[in-house]
Amino acid sequence: MDAVIGVLIFVIALFAVITLIRSVRIVPQQRMDVVERLGKYKRTLAPGLNLLVPFVDAVRTKVDMREQVVSFPPQPVITSDNLVVSIDTVLYFKVVDPVRATYEISNFLQAIEQLTVTTLRNVIGSLDLERALTSREEINRHLSSVLDETTGRWGIKVTRVEIKAIEPPASIRDSMEKQMRAERERRATILNAEGHKQAAILTAEGEKQSAVLRADGDRQSRILQAEGQAKAIRTVFDAIHTANPSQKVLAYQYLQALPQIANGTANKVWIVPTELTKALEGLGGALGGLANMAGDVPSESVDTGAVEREAAAAAQAAADEAAAVNAQVRAAEAQVSGDNGPKGLPAPETIPPSAALGAADYNGAGEPERA
């Protein structure tokens, strides 16, 4: 009897524990439990400690209220230009009404997946491949709008839809790569040509500026040289007028220039006439007349004896040079004409220094006229 009583007490205690466990429900944060009483919706348990009627109330579903992320597998989609592309999508959603999510649809996650696939096919089917690849934002907005409108009556809020990848066929990818490579090469060629063009323009501008600067420098140099020559001529002219040279000095300067005339590269043959003394005498007389007309009077400070000696030496050197040249000319004529040819020119007379200086007492016979 005692054993039966002990078993009965144990059963009653066990029943009390089970009843207590079934009557107490602890719901964690961000979760809602849908409670049914005798198969009919009764209430929704909020997070925290909740009491239920044992063996009458039962929890139908436990709904997670947090935002959830679902990645759907790649789906084949046909574009408007009849190309099959594979599209991966990512969906962000959250349950806002656990009762509707429980009773309005049996499996809302599967329903969202199928709705996303069908909507995606409708949107991509109206676009070609190039536009589908470049219009992701537009596709995302359209998908989000359609899914949010449809899943709203299920107590679900679609917060964001993203296209993770759009994979065209392998042949199309190869063609696209070739096209992009050709486009990049075209841009590189254009940029290279632009660079060469700019370089040529800059080089031309530099050469232009350099030529302008060189021309300006040459102009300034010529101006300075001309000014220097003008100043030098003016200085020489003033010095000559200040010194007031006589006709003998002018004749002496002329005689100094005779060797330079004889040594010129353009003078192949220089024939000295025998009347050189008379020409020099006439030149001296003309220069003397010009000096007298201009009031050319030798300066008292000039050593006339030294000037005459230098003039005589210069005249003798010029005469010797003229004789040597005449001898060469006669030798050349004799070589050309031979024995039957015309005779050579007569030997020139020796020009004394007094004749070179244009002395009035020279009679042309090589000796001065005696008194």
Side-chain angles (χ1 to χ4, degrees):
M1 189 66 181
D2 294 334
V4 174
I5 294 173
V7 171
L8 183 59
I9 293 173
F10 176 76
V11 171
I12 293 172
L14 181 61
F15 178 76
V17 171
I18 294 173
T19 302
L20 181 62
I21 293 173
R22 292 179 63 90
S23 62
V24 176
R25 175 70 62 177
I26 298 175
V27 179
Q29 185 67 29
Q30 289 295 327
R31 199 183 80 181
M32 304 289 284
D33 292 352
V34 177
V35 177
E36 293 180 349
R37 178 170 293 177
L38 300 177
K40 184 180 179 181
Y41 169 74
K42 178 62 178 177
R43 62 193 179 102
T44 302
L45 300 181
L49 180 62
N50 296 274
L51 297 177
L52 299 177
V53 177
F55 307 105
V56 177
D57 294 340
V59 176
R60 169 68 182 272
T61 56
K62 300 175 182 179
V63 181
D64 192 349
M65 304 298 293
R66 295 174 298 178
E67 187 171 2
Q68 302 180 40
V69 181
V70 179
S71 178
F72 300 134
Q75 301 293 329
V77 181
I78 301 177
T79 61
S80 62
D81 48 357
N82 297 324
L83 292 176
V84 179
V85 295
S86 180
I87 300 179
D88 297 347
T89 55
V90 179
L91 181 67
Y92 297 83
F93 71 95
K94 64 185 297 184
V95 179
V96 295
D97 191 347
V99 178
R100 290 185 180 181
T102 302
Y103 295 103
E104 293 292 337
I105 190 167
S106 61
N107 191 343
F108 63 85
L109 188 59
Q110 183 180 4
I112 292 175
E113 179 182 0
Q114 297 301 320
L115 182 60
T116 302
V117 170
T118 55
T119 306
L120 188 63
R121 287 177 178 174
N122 292 333
V123 174
I124 298 298
S126 61
L127 303 175
D128 56 5
L129 178 61
E130 185 175 358
R131 188 178 176 187
L133 293 173
T134 58
S135 303
R136 293 194 177 189
E137 291 294 332
E138 181 181 354
I139 296 172
N140 293 337
R141 287 196 302 268
H142 189 76
L143 282 175
S144 180
S145 175
V146 172
L147 291 175
D148 191 27
E149 181 181 358
T150 304
T151 59
R153 62 176 182 269
W154 299 339
I156 297 171
K157 173 67 174 178
V158 176
T159 58
R160 190 178 183 86
V161 180
E162 291 289 342
I163 295 178
K164 186 166 60 176
I166 300 177
E167 295 292 338
S171 59
I172 301 300
R173 287 199 301 269
D174 294 339
S175 300
M176 293 172 63
E177 290 177 0
K178 292 179 181 179
Q179 181 180 0
M180 292 303 299
R181 190 180 302 111
E183 180 67 21
R184 290 190 181 94
E185 291 178 355
R186 182 183 69 84
R187 293 179 182 177
T189 304
I190 292 174
L191 291 177
N192 192 15
E194 288 289 338
H196 285 299
K197 175 183 176 182
Q198 293 296 330
I201 292 174
L202 293 178
T203 302
E205 288 291 337
E207 292 178 354
K208 174 184 176 183
Q209 294 179 5
S210 177
V212 170
L213 293 177
R214 282 197 299 269
D216 185 67
D218 186 55
R219 181 178 66 86
Q220 294 292 336
S221 176
R222 290 177 181 272
I223 291 174
L224 293 177
Q225 288 179 1
E227 291 178 354
Q229 292 177 358
K231 188 174 181 181
I233 293 172
R234 189 181 303 111
T235 303
V236 172
F237 183 78
D238 293 341
I240 292 174
H241 278 271
T242 302
N244 195 12
S246 64
Q247 61 178 355
K248 295 181 179 181
V249 175
L250 297 176
Y252 170 67
Q253 294 293 330
Y254 176 76
L255 290 175
Q256 282 185 337
L258 287 178
Q260 298 179 0
I261 297 174
N263 292 331
T265 57
N267 297 327
K268 302 301 181 183
V269 177
W270 190 52
I271 300 174
V272 180
T274 56
E275 295 82 1
L276 178 61
T277 57
K278 295 182 179 180
L280 291 176
E281 183 179 356
L283 178 62
L287 292 175
L290 291 175
N292 293 330
M293 290 175 63
D296 186 11
V297 179
S299 176
E300 296 179 358
S301 61
V302 179
D303 188 359
T304 57
V307 172
E308 288 179 359
R309 286 192 298 272
E310 291 179 1
Q316 186 63 39
D320 295 339
E321 184 79 18
V325 172
N326 195 13
Q328 293 179 1
V329 171
R330 292 181 60 191
E333 288 180 350
Q335 238 179 3
V336 172
S337 60
D339 296 332
N340 298 327
K343 301 299 181 180
L345 295 175
E349 296 178 358
T350 304
I351 304 174
S354 58
L357 292 173
D361 56 354
Y362 178 70
N363 58 7
E367 290 294 330
E369 184 176 294
R370 298 187 182 275

